[in-house]
Every structure is written in C-alpha cells, then in structure tokens.
Amino acid sequence: MEVIVADNAGFCFGVKRAIKMANDTMDQAPAGVKALGPLIHNPQVVSAFQRRGLTVVSELEEVESESTVIIRSHGVGPEVKDDAVRRGLKIVDTTCPFVTKAQQYASKLIEENYKVVMIGDQNHPEVIGVVAHTGNKAIVINTVAEAEALKFIPRMGVVFQTTHSIAHVQEIVGALLKRGKEVRVFNTLCGATTSMQKTAVELAPDVEAMVIVGGRQSANTAQLAEVCRRVNPRVYQVESAAEVREDWFTGLRRIGVSAGASTPDEVIAEVVERITQIEPAGAGA
Ligand code: SF4
C-alpha cells in the first residue's frame, strides 16, 4: 500500500515543550513528582512517564507538601495555582503559551465588562482552565444551535478552544454576531493545530482513505479527523498500529496519514509501517 504522511503530523511545539520540562523535572527530582492530570492525551507517553516514577493525580490533596507538581499543557485556573502555593508545592507549569494567551484574553475581557463566550468543549481541561480565568463567568458553547439559543448580549467577548478548526469557529461566530451588539473576537486558535489541519485537508482529497493517529481523549486529534471528513468521508482514527484493520483498505491503493499533536513519532511510524505492509488493490494480478 502506498502511504503518504501529511506535513506537520504529530508532536506540536507545546507538547514537545511540556515533555521536555517534565523530563528535566524527573532528571532533577525523580522521587515524589506528581502530574495534575495526564501530562498529554497520549497513553503511550503517559505510561512511559509512569515507568520513570511520575504519578498522575487528579487533586492537589494527593501531593505531599513540598513535593513537585507538574501542571500540564492544557493549563489550570488561577485558584489551582494559588492552592498549590498555599500547600507549599513546587510548581512546574507546562501550560502551552497558546493556552496562556487564551486565558489572558478571557481574563482581560471580563475585566473590561464583556460577557465572555468560549467556543469549546465544556468538559475539556483547557476550557475548564480558561473559564476559571473569568471567575467561572464565561458561557461555553460548541454548536451553532447553542449560539442561536443565547439571549442577546450587548458586550460580548469571544475566545476559542485552541485546537478547534477555523471552519468550526467561523460558523459559530457567524451565529454569535446575531446575538450581540458589540462582539469582540480574539483568535485564540493555535498555529500548530491550524497548520496540521491545513496540510491534512490538502492531502485528504488526493488519497482514497485517511488514517488519523492519536489518543481518543485528544481534542486536536478529533478535530483533525473531523476536518478531513469534510473533504474525504473515508477517515479512520486509531491510537496505535494494533488498531489498524486490513479490511478498511480493501480495493484501495493510496492512503494518507496524519496525527494529532500529542502523538509520538514512533507511534506514527508503526502505523505507517503496518499500512504499508497491507497488499494494495490489484497487487499480484
Ligand atoms: S496543540 Fe497547540 S495549544 Fe495545544 S499544546 Fe500544542 S501548540 Fe499548544
């Protein structure tokens, strides 16, 4: 099978930075280091860190006083950092700079008396953290229907979950314009995700199927699959090579591959290798 890998597939700068900071922390103080939530949305990477002794916790209460706690690239609300300081913890903050920007814009909008609307998944840790920077006053929506259902807002400030696609937020902002008088929009989309989506969308119509590699909990992987589906309905999402099924490719010869921002190169290479080994349509005829 011919396999073409999209440019920009895999680890983004924010994830590379978070992994480096976590590795450096483990090198310096390997004992007792905790991560507040899985470091990135990739099970293989999280397991590798666990083997090095990094424990994932869901609450600061689980971290012993004076120990080190790693805040992941999705970021947290200000109250979480304040709590960590009160508990005497050492904080290693790997919040991605793109997420920090979204937090700052949301906080600035609230200070300037805008009602903040965040376009994102209300259960995603990044969104929970950004909303916390508005004192939990922001409204979170993720569909055009939710935008249309809002009451009229005279001063509206809008931010986006960093990993959303331009097409997705454009549709919703279009609906929001009808629900506000002054609508101030900050483009908080992440450049890395935007480039990754662009190259995958360019590749998708030129291949017979796309395989997207990434964690099932990864928002940017889900968005990547979604934008590809808009131009090629045959899109499969896998976490690892073991999930690739031969019958997906019956009658096909040319497959595209891209990967979410938290997918390691080795995992992408294994998936590519697995697809390459599948006999293409017409082989041996
Ligand atoms: S996907 Fe974008 S926002 Fe998320 S960690 Fe990577 S660079 Fe940062």
Side-chain angles (χ1 to χ4, degrees):
M1 194 75 68
E2 183 188 0
V3 180
I4 302 166
V5 180
D7 289 342
N8 309 311
F11 276 178
C12 62
F13 121 90
V15 165
K16 281 186 197 154
R17 177 177 170 274
I19 289 176
K20 178 169 187 328
M21 288 173 78
N23 269 323
D24 291 349
T25 306
M26 296 303 290
D27 288 345
Q28 287 156 20
V33 180
K34 304 280 196 296
L36 188 57
L39 193 59
I40 62 170
H41 278 152
N42 181 275
Q44 293 94 335
V45 174
V46 171
S47 302
F49 271 109
Q50 282 172 332
R51 286 195 293 276
R52 286 196 69 189
L54 179 66
T55 313
V56 177
V57 296
S58 48
E59 302 287 341
L60 287 177
E61 283 159 22
E62 299 169 60
V63 188
E64 298 83 23
S65 178
E66 297 187 22
S67 299
T68 301
V69 63
I70 299 177
I71 290 174
R72 56 187 168 171
S73 55
H74 298 311
V76 292
E79 76 292 352
V80 176
K81 280 196 202 165
D82 291 348
D83 191 20
V85 171
R86 263 197 306 277
R87 291 171 184 273
L89 308 180
K90 296 183 196 87
I91 302 171
V92 175
D93 185 359
T94 76
T95 306
C96 175
F98 285 111
V99 176
T100 303
K101 269 281 167 215
Q103 294 171 344
Q104 288 168 345
Y105 285 133
S107 163
K108 177 181 157 70
L109 285 164
I110 280 286
E111 275 166 34
E112 295 177 6
N113 292 320
Y114 288 88
K115 182 75 194 167
V116 176
V117 176
M118 179 161 197
I119 300 176
D121 169 2
Q122 61 177 350
N123 298 315
H124 192 278
E126 175 196 317
V127 175
I128 293 169
V130 172
V131 169
H133 279 78
T134 68
N136 292 317
K137 291 182 189 142
I139 301 169
V140 182
I141 60 166
N142 212 11
T143 63
V144 168
E146 286 169 342
E148 287 170 347
L150 290 177
K151 288 197 179 123
F152 191 79
I153 300 173
R155 271 166 75 83
M156 185 194 302
V158 185
V159 293
F160 313 137
Q161 183 172 348
T162 53
T163 48
H164 268 349
S165 69
I166 291 178
H168 180 77
V169 298
Q170 265 174 343
E171 282 170 5
I172 300 176
V173 168
L176 285 176
L177 290 176
K178 297 178 203 144
R179 307 306 310 143
K181 171 95 176 134
E182 181 190 351
V183 180
R184 193 162 175 207
V185 180
F186 281 103
N187 180 358
T188 55
L189 296 180
C190 138
T193 311
T194 307
S195 312
M196 183 202 305
Q197 290 172 355
K198 181 170 178 288
T199 50
V201 165
E202 282 166 2
L203 173 62
D206 292 339
V207 292
E208 290 158 301
M210 281 295 286
V211 175
I212 305 298
V213 194
R216 265 181 279 283
Q217 303 302 318
S218 160
N220 72 78
T221 304
Q223 278 287 313
L224 189 59
E226 179 53 34
V227 293
C228 288
R229 246 175 230 118
R230 289 178 183 228
V231 289
N232 183 340
R234 204 156 182 168
V235 175
Y236 301 104
Q237 188 180 330
V238 296
E239 260 185 13
S240 68
E243 293 178 6
V244 172
R245 283 177 28 197
E246 209 162 320
D247 60 327
W248 290 342
F249 309 111
T250 307
L252 309 187
R253 305 177 65 89
R254 198 171 140 88
I255 309 300
V257 169
S258 189
S262 43
T263 313
D265 288 348
E266 312 86 81
V267 176
I268 302 171
E270 284 164 15
V271 169
V272 170
E273 172 72 15
R274 165 89 180 98
I275 303 171
T276 307
Q277 286 166 354
I278 297 171
E279 289 285 315

